[in-house]
Amino acid sequence: MTDKPSVLFVCVHNAGRSQMAAAWLRHLAGDSVEVRSAGSAPADRINPTAVEAMREVGIDITDQTPARLTWDTAEASDVIVTMGCGDACPVFPGKRYEDWKLTDPAGQPLDVVRQVRDDIKTHVTGLLATLKP
């Protein structure tokens, strides 16, 4: 791992789980960690319910845009956290991988998305404790 570790969060649409995880890590780690997120089949916009759930905890993700997962992005990351991207997630020797089992917030009511948001914060806090910036 480099002096400034990089973490890539990946889900299918890069519109909910991976965006919330990236936002939590940016919020909790500041600029001590390089944060990336991507999707195997990115949506055209961030999930508005995820935006609302994050807004409730004071984190604005309205400036984020879903991005396609690229080989280069994955290869340049120290830690790759997958959240249901399936076989589309590339595997690189020597990378640290985590697979977080989280409910997909797509089409879910705000109460469910709040729980996903809180579960993600717990995971991100644990991940951050293991990184050595």
Side-chain angles (χ1 to χ4, degrees):
M1 201 170 296
T2 62
D3 289 340
K4 184 175 181 176
S6 59
V7 177
L8 170 63
F9 295 102
V10 183
C11 67
V12 176
H13 300 296
N14 190 223
R17 293 169 289 188
S18 56
Q19 291 287 349
M20 289 190 287
W24 273 121
L25 186 55
R26 282 190 297 270
H27 178 76
L28 296 170
D31 64 356
S32 67
V33 177
E34 185 175 349
V35 181
R36 303 175 173 124
S37 70
S40 53
D44 59 350
R45 65 185 176 115
I46 302 294
N47 178 332
T49 311
V51 170
E52 178 60 27
M54 294 304 287
R55 181 179 291 127
E56 290 178 351
V57 294
I59 300 173
D60 182 7
I61 61 172
T62 58
D63 62 341
Q64 299 301 306
T65 304
R68 180 164 303 282
L69 174 63
T70 66
W71 188 267
D72 291 341
T73 300
E75 188 173 42
S77 300
D78 297 309
V79 180
I80 299 172
V81 178
T82 58
M83 304 173 202
C85 66
D87 295 336
C89 294
V91 176
F92 294 93
K95 300 291 178 190
R96 176 176 157 195
Y97 287 87
E98 293 191 16
D99 185 41
W100 297 350
K101 304 294 185 207
L102 299 163
T103 300
D104 185 349
Q108 298 290 340
L110 184 57
D111 286 348
V112 172
V113 178
R114 284 181 182 128
Q115 184 60 53
V116 174
R117 174 201 66 204
D118 296 346
D119 290 347
I120 290 171
K121 181 182 182 186
T122 299
H123 281 289
V124 167
T125 301
L127 172 67
L128 184 57
T130 68
L131 297 176
K132 307 248 190 292

